[in-house]
């Protein structure tokens, strides 16, 4: 009896020790996971801070270069070239917030009338895009994205944007006419869609993320827009001449539910 009792006791102790060891292992694993999560979060914040510092330094550089140009005499040698360089810096390097502040100043202050006009158009385009993102975000917060599972896009808003250039009038000629003609046909074909025609400045198209050549429908699949974009593409194909540019689809990351954009940036006029 004593031997049996001792056996049970040692078995009990062994099981307790085993459970204690397993608990210790679980706690160690949980602690390691927590430490790894903290390390990852710390690294993410470090990267974010580094990116913020980089953006700040980049914006500071752009701002200083623009101020240097504005402080030059209007007819000073080299000002025209410096204005072009400053414009390119704003358009390609500055943050969206800084560019939004600088373009209106450039539109009023640069000596080059072409750059002034282009800056005005780029600024207007940026403001319109920002308004679309804000308004569409509000829509997404109050109701689910439009369901386009059947390929229809009733209730969608579609902007037709045609490329323009203050330096080359041919760019407007080969894009605005076809865009206006297409707008009329699309309105007649689908009155349940809100259509709008807009200019797309050359400088805006030079920004990474655009660089559009040809005819392109842009959409975000995360907002359930894939089949709506396909339906729009097909409708465009059915309403343009046979020798028109190929109509392509492009996924984008901007969240603008129930909104599609159709860009017409043809490189050559139809023969």
């Amino acid at each position: 009896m004593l031997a049996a009792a001792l056996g049970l006791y040692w078995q009990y102790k062994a099981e307790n020790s085993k459970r204690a060891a397993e608990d210790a292992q679980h706690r160690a694993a949980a602690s390691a996971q927590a430490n790894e999560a903290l390390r990852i979060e710390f690294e993410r914040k470090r990267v974010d801070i580094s990116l913020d510092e980089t953006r700040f330094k980049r914006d500071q550089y752009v701002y200083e270069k623009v101020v240097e140009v504005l402080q030059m005499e209007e007819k000073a040698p080299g000002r025209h070239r410096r204005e072009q360089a400053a414009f390119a810096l704003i358009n390609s390097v500055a943050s969206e917030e800084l560019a939004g502040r600088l373009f209106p100043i450039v539109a009023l202050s640069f000596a080059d009338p072409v750059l002034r006009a282009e800056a005005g158009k780029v600024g207007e385009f940026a403001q319109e895009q920002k308004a679309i993102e804000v308004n569409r975000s509000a829509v997404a917060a109050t109701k689910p994205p439009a369901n386009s599972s059947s390929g229809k896009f009733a209730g969608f808003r579609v902007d037709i944007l045609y490329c323009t250039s203050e330096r080359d009038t041919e760019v407007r000629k080969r894009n605005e006419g076809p865009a206006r003609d297409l707008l009329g046909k699309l309105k007649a074909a689908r009155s349940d869609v809100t259509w709008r025609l807009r200019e797309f400045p050359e400088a805006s198209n030079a920004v990474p993320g655009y660089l559009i050549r040809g005819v392109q429908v842009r959409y975000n699949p995360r907002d359930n827009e894939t089949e709506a974009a396909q339906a729009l593409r097909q409708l465009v194909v059915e309403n343009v001449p046979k020798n028109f540019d190929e109509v392509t689809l492009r996924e984008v990351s901007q969240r603008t539910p129930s909104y599609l954009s159709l860009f017409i940036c043809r490189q050559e006029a139809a023969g």
Side-chain angles (χ1 to χ4, degrees):
M1 291 290 291
L2 179 61
L6 286 172
L8 291 173
Y9 172 76
W10 289 117
Q11 183 180 358
Y12 169 77
K13 293 286 289 185
E15 289 177 352
N16 276 354
S17 296
K18 182 180 178 181
R19 282 196 295 268
E22 290 175 347
D23 289 343
Q25 288 179 342
H26 290 155
R27 287 195 300 271
S31 178
Q33 290 177 349
N35 288 337
E36 179 64 10
L38 286 173
R39 188 193 67 77
I40 292 173
E41 179 64 13
F42 175 80
E43 184 65 17
R44 185 188 66 79
K45 289 182 178 179
R46 189 187 68 79
V47 171
D48 287 345
I49 291 171
S50 177
L51 289 174
D52 287 341
E53 290 177 349
T54 300
R55 280 191 288 265
F56 175 79
K57 291 178 180 178
R58 192 172 58 195
D59 276 357
Q60 186 177 38
Y61 174 77
V62 173
Y63 174 79
E64 290 173 352
K65 293 302 178 184
V66 173
V67 170
E68 285 179 12
V69 173
L70 295 178
Q71 289 176 339
M72 296 176 67
E73 293 291 333
E74 188 171 314
K75 295 184 179 180
R79 168 149 180 167
H80 176 70
R81 186 176 65 256
R82 296 282 294 277
E83 286 185 349
Q84 290 179 322
F87 186 96
L89 277 175
I90 298 171
N91 202 50
S92 60
V93 177
S95 66
E96 183 178 350
E97 181 180 359
L98 180 62
R101 294 176 181 273
L102 289 179
F103 273 127
I105 297 174
V106 169
L108 294 173
S109 306
F110 273 13
D112 187 331
V114 174
L115 289 179
R116 288 202 309 269
E118 188 79 2
K121 291 184 180 299
V122 172
E124 290 174 5
F125 176 79
Q127 289 178 352
E128 288 183 341
Q129 289 301 104
K130 190 67 176 178
I132 289 170
E133 292 178 13
V134 171
N135 291 340
R136 295 291 107 181
S137 296
V139 169
T142 57
K143 67 177 185 180
N147 183 359
S148 60
S149 59
S150 65
K152 298 179 180 180
F153 50 111
F156 268 68
R157 174 178 171 183
V158 179
D159 279 356
I160 303 175
L161 302 103
Y162 60 91
C163 276
T164 63
S165 171
E166 295 300 314
R167 299 172 181 80
D168 185 356
T169 58
E170 291 300 317
V171 174
R172 178 184 288 273
K173 287 181 181 179
R174 64 174 172 259
N175 290 301
E176 182 179 10
R180 291 189 179 279
D181 181 61
L182 181 60
L183 174 66
K185 293 178 179 178
L186 295 180
K187 277 186 173 181
R190 292 296 299 265
S191 60
D192 55 352
V193 175
T194 301
W195 305 94
R196 182 172 65 153
L197 193 66
R198 296 170 57 196
E199 291 188 26
F200 184 45
E202 180 180 38
S204 297
N205 196 20
V207 174
Y210 286 109
L211 305 175
I212 296 170
R213 300 290 183 271
V215 182
Q216 186 177 101
V217 175
R218 293 162 66 95
Y219 68 100
N220 189 330
R222 292 175 61 195
D223 290 325
N224 198 24
E225 296 173 348
T226 301
E227 294 198 23
Q230 293 170 345
L232 174 59
R233 177 190 176 279
Q234 184 59 35
L235 189 61
V236 172
V237 170
E238 293 171 357
N239 284 278
V240 294
K242 292 182 179 180
N243 59 346
F244 207 70
D245 300 54
E246 179 184 2
V247 183
T248 61
L249 294 170
R250 181 173 176 181
E251 295 183 10
V252 297
S253 59
Q254 290 88 346
R255 301 300 302 273
T256 53
S258 302
Y259 169 87
L260 298 172
S261 50
L262 167 64
F263 288 84
I264 299 181
C265 296
R266 308 171 69 220
Q267 302 306 294
E268 296 180 3

